[in-house]
């Protein structure tokens, strides 16, 4: 049942079964090894430890501030504008539109760049051309964000080798910058408890159902249309190309998620 363990001169990542939270564990081994005290982790947390302390999905699902890159007041039907309006209607507390062409978008101050935002930004929603992705991710690293959701399409799903290479470069920047990528080519996250939404008129009462979908349409339609039947969701994730956060990691997370 031991999923993985190792000994070093520090706390030991160790996982056995489904563990709800880190626990201290005393292990006594036969000589010549002495007793050691280590900390017991969930498998997902252990993997993050081994891969360089990537932000945990708990941090991804509960950001304190959200920046929306590429929103425009002249395109109120765009995805980026929909995200801003959805967050406003849901009552999310810290919404930061970003576009260097405008000073205000949908009644909110609009910032020329991520670095210009005075508040904490944990989550970034991206709706700009794919060619601008790498430069933006440098800004994300400088701002110490936790996660970046790319609504933007035109990456490996296009079938072009250079776009697949662009994705790999994006993942390298995410690893170096210490943040996660949702997508690209997806509608991202819906977490009613935290009022984290990308679609208007979604049921905001949390429930016990988690739903993951490669398809953005399904991720929007299922919670919307089943709301009338009384179904409520804890978290919904559209993961698109699954460059970083994928279905396997999400299933592992939700198998242990108390919500």
């Amino acid at each position: 049942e031991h999923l993985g363990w190792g000994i070093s001169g520090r706390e030991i990542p160790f996982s056995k079964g489904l563990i709800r939270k880190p626990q201290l564990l005393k292990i006594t081994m036969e000589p010549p090894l002495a007793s050691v005290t280590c900390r017991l982790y969930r498998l997902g947390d252990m993997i993050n430890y081994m891969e360089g302390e990537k932000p945990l999905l708990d941090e991804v699902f509960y950001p304190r501030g959200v920046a929306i890159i590429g929103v425009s007041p002249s395109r109120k039907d765009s995805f980026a504008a929909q995200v801003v309006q959805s967050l406003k209607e849901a009552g999310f507390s810290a919404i930061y539109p970003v576009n260097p062409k405008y000073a205000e978008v949908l009644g909110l101050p609009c910032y020329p760049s991520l670095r210009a935002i005075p508040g904490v930004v944990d989550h970034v929603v991206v709706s700009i051309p794919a060619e601008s992705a790498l430069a933006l991710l440098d800004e994300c690293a400088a701002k110490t964000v936790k996660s970046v959701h790319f609504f933007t399409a035109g990456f490996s799903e296009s079938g072009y080798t250079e776009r697949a290479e662009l994705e790999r470069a994006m993942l390298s920047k995410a690893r170096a910058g210490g943040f996660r990528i949702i997508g690209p080519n997806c509608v991202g996250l819906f977490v009613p408890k935290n009022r984290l939404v990308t679609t208007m008129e979604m049921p905001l009462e949390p429930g016990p159902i988690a739903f993951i979908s490669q398809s953005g349409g399904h991720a929007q339609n299922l919670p919307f249309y089943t709301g009338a039947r009384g179904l409520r969701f804890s978290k919904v994730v559209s993961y698109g190309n699954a460059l970083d956060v994928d279905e396997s990691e999400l299933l592992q997370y939700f198998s242990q998620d108390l919500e």
Side-chain angles (χ1 to χ4, degrees), residues 5 12 20-22 31 36 45 82 105 139 151 154 159 199-200 247 256 259:
W5 64 287
I12 304 169
R20 299 299 180 185
K21 59 184 179 180
V36 295
D45 295 348
Q82 177 180 277
V105 171
E139 277 201 72
F151 172 73
T199 306
M200 290 182 284
E247 62 274 24
Q256 305 171 49
E259 297 178 354

Side-chain angles (χ1 to χ4, degrees), residues 165-215:
E165 292 173 351
L166 174 57
E167 274 194 358
R168 289 192 287 272
M170 290 162 58
L171 185 58
S172 295
K173 284 187 178 289
R175 292 288 182 267
F179 54 85
R180 309 303 305 273
I181 292 178
I182 310 295
N185 183 34
C186 68
V187 300
L189 309 177
F190 171 47
V191 187
K193 184 177 179 179
N194 194 38
R195 297 298 191 261
L196 181 60
V197 295
T198 59
T199 306
M200 290 182 284
E201 301 180 358
M202 296 288 267
L204 293 177
E205 178 186 357
I209 303 170
F211 178 56
I212 67 173
S213 171
Q214 187 280 329
S215 161

